Amino acid sequence: MMTLETELCGVLLKNPMIAASGTFGFGEEYSELYDISCWGAISVKGLTNRPRSGNPPHRIAETASGMLNSVGLENPGVDAFMRNELPRLARQGIPIIANVAGSTIDDYRESVGKLSDSPVSIIELNISCPNVREGGVQFGTSPERVREVTSAVRSCTSKPLMIKLSPNVSDISEIARAAEDAGADAISLINTITGMAIDAKTRRPILANVTGGLSGPAIKPVALRMVWQAAAAVSIPIVGMGGIMNADDVAQFMLAGARAVMIGTANIVDPMAGPRILAEIENFMQENEISDIRELVGGLRTS
Amino acid sequence: MKGDFHARVISNVSIARHVSDISLQLSLDAGEIDPKPGQFAHLSSGGVFLRRPISIAGFDKKNSRVRIIVRNAGIGSGAIASLIPGESIRMLIPLGSPYPLDLFAETAGVKKICLIAGGIGAAPLIFAADFMREFNEKKGKEIFSVESFIGFRDKISSFGLEEFERAGTARPVIGGLVTDALEKSLAHDRPDAILACGPEPMLRALQGIRGLNGIPSYVSLEAHMGCGVGACLVCSCRIATDSGHTDDDNVRYRRVCRDGPVFKLSEVVFG
Ligand SMILES: Cc1cc2nc3c(=O)[nH]c(=O)nc-3n(C[C@H](O)[C@H](O)[C@H](O)COP(=O)(O)OP(=O)(O)OC[C@H]3O[C@@H](n4cnc5c(N)ncnc54)[C@H](O)[C@@H]3O)c2cc1C
Ligand SMILES: Cc1cc2nc3c(=O)[nH]c(=O)nc-3n(C[C@H](O)[C@H](O)[C@H](O)COP(=O)(O)O)c2cc1C
Ligand code: FES
């Protein structure tokens, strides 16, 4: 018998694949294409306490092996999410992860407070959105601020708390440790890497926001390195992401130390990425005679 | 129903400068789809990372064949435009909201529908013209009376005239502005609805035509897309509204890929 099960701060996942926040909406669109309960879990679009309309278009630019986005946390707000989206999502029978962003500590506390009485399984604190000035990343780039926001939110919820880290920092290990020290149950990384694109003919930036977040295979080497460093720095579970397109990529992140993975941009370029990669993982395990996927976690051979 | 299918190129014919008319055979599991004029497909093409949205220019339900008309405008569209028979690509189809032709068909009497096309924007309107002609043929009487204004920058860029003519009357406008031709015609002839697709300046000009007041007008918008299904929120356009969440007064971002690409002309706020 082969098992793909993994566990994340007390929450059982039937497989290690989690749909990454912001690339999967609230699941509705993809549920028209396949049974979305095939995912181990779903992390929903970043939520803020109040609705946000997001940044002006253009919001996307294609890059070599990746894309830049500057959506800017467009979302209906926590209340509307709980009223209109969560009941349907909760019926999927898989853990739902609420990705939460904010501009102030009080924002984060208020949003998380509301979600604490809801059926979400895990709160993922987004302190790493590069696309809004007041959108959390200022909490994510220094260990002091990470500690501050994590402990403030920790004290207002008993839900498992996962902190989503920004790669736009010089030392990911100290950031990861700060989150762990302040009471995080898990960390997820990486969010997008700040970048930009220019149209040389018009001499204008392609994104109306000028800068945006880079995702996709272009960032995978950086993501792998950061997951590996974070795994060495903390003992809480790590969820790895950044450019995962297939089962081999999933295995690489798990070998680097991730207990589970998130898959984002792959959904955008291949709408069937979820079921496809899941089937590939099963093949990968069979071919490599792996009976329990957890044996990959941190299994990197460096000597 | 929609799905992501394998599509094999049956033919690729150059019909104008840099414009390819391509017929694709969908894989067998595509039996259930029923694309409507105004909807689009999201195509993966070798060499570029993201898929490209391309309007459905025709659909042969019996044989599960899709027609697309593609202008080589860059790397991605260029790769699609130069596909050769036998090659396969992936195609997510059908996506977005169609022109409300079904709605018009349900109301009584002859409907005078005016099509306004600019350049490659003729592609979805060819589907609309064919759809209305076939509808009339099926009913054995004229339900739709179709008049088309089709603008191209020059003669060698023009295509699709036969299809528009077969559906009704067609007025090619070469080098000039379709909107000028439409404005003149509106003085003595008011259609029941306008369906348009073309470059943004054309759509803006359309919005400025006074004579269109009171005539339901629908336009298909373009946007740079990611997922094509409505999940990633990168394809926003501005739509005037008096409800919904927004930071700016009465303007709301809507997804071109799912809430559109067809919108009411009066609601579009050009950037
Ligand atoms: C709903 C819809 C229907 C369309 N139907 C057709 C059609 O039937 N025939 C046809 O030839 N073209 C159509 N287009 C436009 C076509 O998608 C673009 O020409 C194409 O995306 C340009 O890509 P490229 O790789 O050639 O250009 P590049 O310049 O290499 O593109 C770079 C990036 O910009 C984006 N981009 C550039 N121009 C456009 C544009 N006009 N629209 C959307 N994205 C753009 C690309 O997707 C890509 O991400 C349609 C667009 C939309 C939104
Ligand atoms: C269009 C888009 C929107 C995103 N929105 C969010 C978001 O709301 N919250 C968040 O924490 N991360 C967001 N992300 C980041 C992804 O969840 C993920 O961290 C990143 O894209 C790297 O993974 P990938 O390469 O698999 O996409 C977004 C990414 C993309 C491409
Ligand atoms: S392209 Fe993803 S929401 Fe429209």
Side-chain angles (χ1 to χ4, degrees), chain A residues 29 32 53 56 59 62 269, chain B residues 2 50 52 233 236 258:
Chain A
E29 293 79 15
E32 293 172 359
S53 54
R59 293 179 173 182
E62 191 171 36
V269 298
Chain B
K2 66 181 85 154
L50 297 169
R52 297 292 190 266
L233 309 182
S236 314
R258 192 177 180 94

Side-chain angles (χ1 to χ4, degrees), chain A residues 44-272:
Chain A
V44 302
K45 175 65 196 168
L47 302 166
T48 48
N49 196 14
R50 314 209 142 269
R52 280 187 63 92
S53 54
N55 288 326
H58 297 310
R59 293 179 173 182
I60 184 170
E62 191 171 36
T63 72
S65 297
M67 57 173 274
L68 289 157
N69 90 82
S70 59
V71 172
L73 289 178
E74 174 175 344
N75 81 94
V78 172
D79 298 313
F81 164 74
M82 288 173 50
R83 202 169 48 240
N84 305 329
E85 312 288 351
L86 188 54
R88 181 179 41 76
L89 272 170
R91 279 197 297 276
Q92 293 295 331
I94 53 172
I96 301 303
I97 301 175
N99 182 279
V100 178
S103 15
T104 62
I105 296 231
D106 284 343
D107 261 1
Y108 278 106
R109 284 175 59 96
E110 212 173 312
S111 301
V112 171
K114 291 175 189 167
L115 289 161
S116 292
D117 298 323
S118 80
V120 305
S121 300
I122 298 175
I123 308 257
E124 181 180 43
L125 220 54
N126 176 2
I127 53 167
S128 44
C129 178
N131 289 327
V132 288
R133 227 171 300 136
E134 66 295 356
V137 76
Q138 82 276 20
F139 292 109
T141 43
S142 85
E144 294 74 38
R145 301 302 307 268
V146 171
R147 211 169 282 124
E148 188 185 356
V149 70
T150 306
S151 48
V153 172
R154 172 74 292 169
S155 63
C156 69
T157 186
S158 52
K159 296 262 185 203
L161 186 60
M162 178 155 77
I163 313 291
K164 185 163 180 183
L165 305 186
S166 168
N168 305 303
V169 299
S170 50
D171 183 353
I172 198 72
S173 308
E174 62 172 12
I175 302 274
R177 268 194 298 268
E180 180 178 44
D181 290 347
D185 299 301
I187 55 178
S188 55
L189 76 168
I190 61 175
N191 207 318
T192 54
I193 301 177
T194 312
M196 70 188 277
I198 294 172
D199 182 333
K201 286 192 214 89
T202 61
R203 304 189 177 192
R204 302 187 65 82
I206 291 177
L207 300 172
N209 191 50
V210 185
T211 61
L214 183 63
S215 63
I219 69 171
K220 202 189 90 183
V222 178
L224 268 178
R225 185 264 295 173
M226 289 193 156
V227 164
W228 180 65
Q229 288 178 328
V234 299
S235 53
I236 49 178
I238 288 176
V239 177
M241 81 197 92
I244 294 177
M245 301 300 280
N246 53 47
D248 202 85
D249 293 338
V250 172
Q252 292 174 39
F253 273 87
M254 296 186 80
L255 288 168
R259 184 88 67 95
V261 297
M262 288 185 171
I263 296 174
T265 303
N267 296 299
I268 292 177
V269 298
D270 174 9
M272 303 301 286

